Amino acid sequence: MFIAIRELEFRPLDFREEIRPGAIDLGPDIEQKSPLEASGHADLVEEHHGKHQIIKDIRLKGDLSTRLQVACARCLEPVKHDVTRRFDLLYRPQGSDAGHEELSVTDAEAEIGYYRGDGLELEDVLREQVLLALPLKSLCRQDCKGLCAHCGKNLNEAQCSCTSVEEDPRWIALKDIRKKLE
Ligand SMILES: [Zn+2]
Ligand SMILES: [Zn+2]
């Protein structure tokens, strides 16, 4: 859904979108497991700069929810996240800040981004908000033991027979020789 400045000049816009898994590219590591529900409101905000310049901003308020699946940072098992996020964003035309650092910010609460051309693609905003809603690092559980660095076994499921101490490479070489002799 494209939010066009030209339309906002006539009236504010309400949106309610349901985005099926796969419709938004969240990258190779994140899987969307349920439809992404988003609803909210888009407004035109005019910033008067000096006497003649009016900067047209888009203010986007709303919330979203969906269910995502990522890999545990330690053991790579799938971890599900029910994600909800409320957003209040202000988009300025790209380049409008150049040389005008003192532009009055309409609302200090709003996060500021930039749009290019005639408006804003709602899906791009939602993608960014979904990614921000995810923790940087996901663990399947707080005390996940991860994978053994030697044999790759999932240590939550079973202890492997590798020694936990880093082995001396000379011993490994000896072991290899012994294996060959056996
Ligand atoms: Zn884990
Ligand atoms: Zn091991």
Side-chain angles (χ1 to χ4, degrees):
M1 178 187 183
F2 189 72
I3 299 172
I5 280 283
R6 215 171 296 162
E7 284 173 45
L8 292 181
E9 282 172 342
F10 287 108
R11 67 187 83 84
L13 180 86
D14 287 313
F15 60 87
R16 179 172 292 278
E17 295 275 285
E18 190 181 286
I19 297 164
R20 64 187 162 73
I24 292 184
D25 182 9
L26 295 171
D29 302 327
I30 301 169
E31 211 181 312
Q32 186 186 331
K33 301 301 273 185
S34 76
L36 190 163
E37 317 257 1
S39 61
H41 189 76
D43 265 317
L44 186 72
V45 177
E46 295 190 333
E47 290 189 77
H48 293 263
H49 187 257
K51 264 188 187 157
H52 304 295
Q53 198 185 3
I54 296 173
I55 292 176
K56 292 174 177 177
D57 299 340
I58 300 170
R59 182 161 188 182
L60 207 58
K61 278 175 94 161
D63 42 66
L64 64 84
S65 68
T66 187
R67 167 171 274 215
L68 304 173
Q69 182 175 294
V70 297
C72 171
R74 288 188 199 148
C75 74
L76 307 180
E77 286 296 306
V79 184
K80 289 199 172 71
H81 286 286
D82 285 318
V83 158
T84 57
R85 188 171 170 91
R86 195 152 261 172
F87 50 89
D88 183 356
L89 308 158
L90 190 72
Y91 286 88
R92 285 181 172 151
Q94 185 121 48
S96 64
D97 276 357
H100 306 306
E101 277 168 33
E102 295 305 316
L103 271 182
S104 64
V105 178
T106 323
D107 187 340
E109 301 276 294
E111 291 174 59
I112 294 176
Y114 297 91
Y115 70 87
R116 226 180 294 192
D118 306 328
L120 197 57
E121 200 68 60
L122 180 63
E123 281 71 16
D124 290 342
V125 175
L126 294 177
R127 176 199 295 119
E128 195 178 78
Q129 292 301 310
V130 164
L131 296 177
L132 286 170
L134 268 181
L136 277 180
K137 210 176 184 188
S138 295
L139 294 178
C140 61
R141 56 187 219 213
Q142 220 44 50
D143 61 344
C144 169
K145 297 194 187 89
L147 302 177
C148 169
H150 298 288
C151 69
K153 190 173 263 183
N154 186 339
L155 300 176
N156 298 311
E157 288 161 7
Q159 188 58 49
C160 61
S161 49
C162 306
T163 48
S164 53
V165 214
E166 203 55 43
E167 277 188 276
D168 188 316
R170 285 169 297 180
W171 285 113
I172 294 174
L174 278 178
K175 262 191 194 166
D176 279 348
I177 293 167
R178 198 167 65 189
K179 247 183 221 156
K180 280 179 196 140
L181 293 175
E182 275 169 6

